[in-house]
Amino acid sequence: MSKYADKIVEIVLNSREHLTAEQVFLEMKKTYPKVVLATIYNNLNMLVSEGKLRRISIEGSPDRYDRTTRHDHMICMKCGALSDITIQDMTQMIERQTGGKILSYDLKINYICSECKNKLKENKHE
Ligand SMILES: [Zn+2]
Ligand SMILES: [Zn+2]
């Protein structure tokens, strides 16, 4: 089990693509051709609960997996593209307002990416 887990962490950390379980599975198959998708899911769940990986849930699309280093995400509402953004850590500000310790927060910024913006412009000209 743990040889898989180590490799999964390596795959996710080496990628900046915010991989889905399916994509991790395809990468894993290159090293472990016999691995099954259920094993990938089990390991991903374990790694997330151990705090070694971070899961990003986006409504209407499969969960993605990411490094745990503090950063936030911008999501294009047109194509679903996910990009990293580093915003000042708001933990203290939130804790001041809620009056207690928080475990974490998950900031998602909805926007229209430049590619989709350009497409919208093109369509208007037609
Ligand atoms: Zn887009
Ligand atoms: Zn990210």
Side-chain angles (χ1 to χ4, degrees), residues 5-114:
D6 289 346
K7 186 68 187 168
I8 289 173
V9 170
E10 191 190 308
I11 288 169
V12 173
L13 296 190
N14 283 333
S15 169
R16 282 289 178 272
E17 300 289 313
H18 301 98
L19 301 174
T20 62
E22 202 90 22
Q23 288 170 318
V24 172
F25 173 58
L26 293 177
E27 272 304 307
M28 281 293 280
K29 280 190 113 116
K30 292 178 187 170
T31 312
Y32 302 108
K34 284 185 184 152
V35 76
V36 294
L37 188 56
T39 306
I40 305 296
Y41 275 111
N42 289 340
N43 277 277
L44 283 169
N45 286 336
M46 185 190 77
L47 289 164
V48 169
S49 67
E50 286 176 356
K52 286 180 184 150
L53 290 180
R54 170 174 172 189
R55 177 185 282 125
I56 311 161
S57 304
I58 302 162
E59 223 176 295
S61 76
D63 289 345
R64 323 264 194 112
Y65 296 88
D66 202 359
R67 64 196 195 280
T68 55
T69 330
R70 161 98 231 114
H71 68 281
D72 299 296
H73 293 109
M74 303 197 15
I75 299 154
C76 173
M77 292 287 96
K78 282 271 168 207
C79 68
L82 190 68
S83 48
D84 286 339
I85 181 172
T86 303
I87 291 176
Q88 196 191 357
D89 190 344
M90 292 189 280
T91 305
Q92 288 192 352
M93 190 188 86
I94 297 166
E95 286 181 346
R96 265 202 306 275
Q97 295 214 14
T98 57
K101 285 257 168 261
I102 60 163
L103 299 173
S104 65
Y105 67 89
D106 193 3
L107 182 66
K108 290 190 199 108
I109 299 157
N110 302 327
Y111 81 130
I112 309 284
C113 76
S114 53

